[in-house]
Amino acid sequence: MGNMYSLRPTALDELDYRIRQVKIDACLVLRNRRLVYRHYRKPEFEREPHKVNSVTKSVLSLLIGIALKRGELPSLGALLSDFVDGVPPDKRAITLEHLLSMSPGMEWKEAGAWGSLPPPGEHEADWIRFVLDAKMTDPPGKKMIYNSGCSHLLSAVLQKATGMTASAYAGRHLFAPLGIDDWDWPSDRQGISIGGFGLKLRPADLLKIGQLLLAGGCWQGTSSFQGSGSRRPPFPACPPRAGTVCTGIIGGSTPTAPSKRPVRASCSRKASRDNF
């Protein structure tokens, strides 16, 4: 990232103090290709894969980009109904881009809307059908509403297009090139990798994905991921932040703090559910 920004001498000490006030399992900070801070609440957390919750969505969007680059998906304008059976007539205009931008026009409540109770969809035998049965409230593309159901539909699309679950596809085309060899990605009752949450990664491996994104798809001198969505992942649009990018808070949904320092951070904590 270069040396145009300085890091205050006390910055890492302040970070360490704050992290130790809460139950952060692991935190890694990389600056100028050098690991400048490492924290593990317990020694075993360095090797233990942690549930990344909604970072799962980010990984899935990269897989969609890879499938597009490889020609296994035609375009972001492809219709959901081309890959998923039984799409109701009122949802047949929904495209992959609508799902990636979480703007399919469906009525949706995330986990937080149900208090401490599991959202109804988790009790359903067929999660895809549960999502497709949601009421339409807007035309596709009009409004973004955070929706883990969109990600699960994308996982089904990827599986249909490639003949592989998202977990297996990630293992071959994303994790293996990055040297990631230990992960867990559960599936629903139909054998579809859960699109919106559930992926488990080791902290150092989450940092690798952050490095890949910041480098625009380059990894260890190669550009094998360029053009696969890693430079501009089709995530929901958010206001731009300067400098620092945090690759994610494992186990919870925590916004990235604004910063002017080119630091790459990967933090892990046990936290609330973020799913449907």
Side-chain angles (χ1 to χ4, degrees), residues 88-106:
D90 63 346
K91 298 179 178 67
R92 289 180 184 166
I94 294 174
T95 66
L96 303 190
E97 185 167 9
H98 293 141
L99 296 176
L100 285 162
S101 60
M102 294 187 178
S103 62
M106 298 178 189

Side-chain angles (χ1 to χ4, degrees), residues 242-255:
T244 299
V245 174
C246 178
T247 60
I249 303 297
I250 302 183
S253 179
T254 304

Side-chain angles (χ1 to χ4, degrees), residues 4-147:
M4 63 182 294
Y5 298 103
S6 62
L7 187 66
R8 288 184 295 106
T10 61
L12 295 178
D13 290 335
E14 293 168 9
L15 173 66
D16 185 71
Y17 174 78
R18 294 192 179 193
I19 281 178
R20 293 177 189 278
Q21 305 308 303
V22 290
K23 291 184 178 180
I24 298 289
D25 286 355
C27 183
L28 306 175
V29 179
L30 191 77
R31 182 171 188 268
N32 295 329
R33 300 193 179 101
R34 185 170 66 90
L35 194 65
V36 296
Y37 178 78
R38 177 192 291 115
H39 165 80
Y40 295 106
R41 190 162 61 89
K42 295 180 180 180
E44 59 266 30
F45 288 163
E46 180 174 5
R47 303 178 302 277
E48 178 183 301
H50 281 64
K51 186 177 179 181
V52 301
N53 277 7
S54 282
V55 175
T56 305
K57 299 178 175 69
S58 301
V59 172
L60 181 61
S61 75
L62 284 175
L63 300 182
I64 295 295
I66 291 170
L68 285 166
K69 181 180 180 181
R70 289 173 49 83
E72 292 159 323
L73 288 171
S75 73
L76 292 181
L79 295 173
L80 169 65
S81 58
D82 290 341
F83 302 94
V84 174
D85 295 331
V87 175
D90 63 346
K91 298 179 178 67
R92 289 180 184 166
I94 294 174
T95 66
L96 303 190
E97 185 167 9
H98 293 141
L99 296 176
L100 285 162
S101 60
M102 294 187 178
S103 62
M106 298 178 189
E107 182 178 57
W108 191 261
K109 291 183 179 180
E110 275 293 311
W114 303 99
S116 59
L117 299 175
E122 292 191 28
H123 299 297
E124 296 291 327
D126 188 336
W127 289 16
I128 295 297
R129 177 49 50 193
F130 176 81
V131 178
L132 292 177
D133 284 344
K135 178 183 176 182
M136 291 293 288
T137 58
D138 294 286
K142 180 179 179 180
K143 182 167 60 177
M144 180 268 179
I145 296 177
Y146 194 85
N147 184 336

Side-chain angles (χ1 to χ4, degrees), residues 222-257:
T222 69
S223 57
S224 56
F225 292 99
Q226 284 188 331
S228 63
S230 49
R231 179 169 295 278
R232 184 182 177 273
F235 305 149
C238 299
R241 306 291 183 100
T244 299
V245 174
C246 178
T247 60
I249 303 297
I250 302 183
S253 179
T254 304
T256 305

Side-chain angles (χ1 to χ4, degrees), residues 177-195:
L178 298 182
I180 297 173
D181 58 11
D182 189 7
W183 75 92
D184 181 58
W185 197 337
S187 300
D188 67 8
R189 297 182 190 181
Q190 279 66 48
I192 300 168
S193 297
I194 299 173

